[in-house]
Amino acid sequence: GHRLEMMTCWEKFCRVIGAMPNFGGKSYEDNLRQFTALWCEDTKMMKLDSVGGKVKQLDPSILSRLCGKTTFNKIKKEGGWASYGPQYLGPLEEAINALEHDLATDYNKFTPMTPNRDYVRDWAPPDKRATMLRMHFTSRAKPKEDARNIMVQHV
């Protein structure tokens, strides 16, 4: 299955979201909103033939857009984020690079895993007062079937 890889990718995505610069007050949420809006614009026209299941390796320009690197460079230039400096943008850039590495390594290759185990993860921002955003990952397992649960499925 692919559930373990999806969970890993989700965790790296959460690291990107958690690494947004914060200057107190609502700036974390404002920066997050600005970044994700631009990221959506950069990725919304992607087609399955460039990122779907038949793709074995992502094209470098697609990879850059998908991991947020294109958005990061755009927002530094056009959004005035370059003035924040490396002490604020360094963690964000590091998280984007980690997501890029994950997406570039063994794209669409999946590892065997325990098929009857659920995977559940929760994410909250580093400063819980900065935003109401919370994210949850749930990957349901295929339960082991025996005579007891097969009878119940038809009720």
Side-chain angles (χ1 to χ4, degrees):
H2 62 281
R3 297 182 305 128
L4 190 58
E5 285 77 13
M6 292 302 296
M7 183 177 68
T8 302
C9 190
W10 178 84
E11 289 170 342
K12 294 196 188 289
F13 170 75
C14 288
R15 279 189 55 208
V16 170
I17 299 303
M20 287 296 141
N22 186 7
F23 302 106
K26 289 214 177 262
S27 73
Y28 173 84
E29 192 166 301
D30 292 339
N31 291 342
L32 179 60
R33 190 176 295 116
Q34 184 182 8
F35 187 88
T36 53
L38 186 55
W39 201 356
C40 287
E41 284 298 316
D42 286 343
T43 57
K44 73 179 182 183
M45 298 305 286
M46 289 186 174
K47 305 285 184 204
L48 277 179
D49 60 348
S50 61
V51 295
K54 294 182 181 179
V55 175
K56 300 302 175 203
Q57 184 174 358
L58 290 170
D59 177 86
S61 66
I62 297 290
L63 176 60
S64 182
R65 288 171 38 210
L66 200 57
C67 74
K69 190 170 271 193
T70 300
T71 304
F72 182 70
N73 292 331
K74 255 189 220 178
I75 209 162
K76 281 195 323 185
K77 184 178 178 183
E78 299 168 12
W81 284 30
S83 63
Y84 288 165
Q87 71 272 19
Y88 293 106
L89 296 180
L92 177 58
E93 188 170 23
E94 183 180 306
I96 289 170
N97 288 338
L99 179 57
E100 179 183 38
H101 182 266
D102 183 63
L103 291 171
T105 306
D106 294 332
Y107 191 75
N108 276 332
K109 291 184 183 169
F110 307 118
T111 55
M113 58 182 292
T114 309
N116 59 344
R117 181 175 172 206
D118 289 341
Y119 289 94
V120 179
R121 299 289 185 272
D122 296 312
W123 177 88
D127 179 2
K128 292 176 180 41
R129 295 169 297 161
T131 183
M132 295 299 295
L133 176 67
R134 304 297 185 266
M135 293 190 289
H136 309 284
F137 176 89
T138 304
S139 178
R140 295 305 318 252
K142 180 179 178 183
K144 291 181 180 178
E145 294 185 359
D146 61 19
R148 291 172 297 165
N149 63 359
I150 290 176
M151 289 185 305
V152 176
Q153 290 175 0
H154 300 289
V155 174

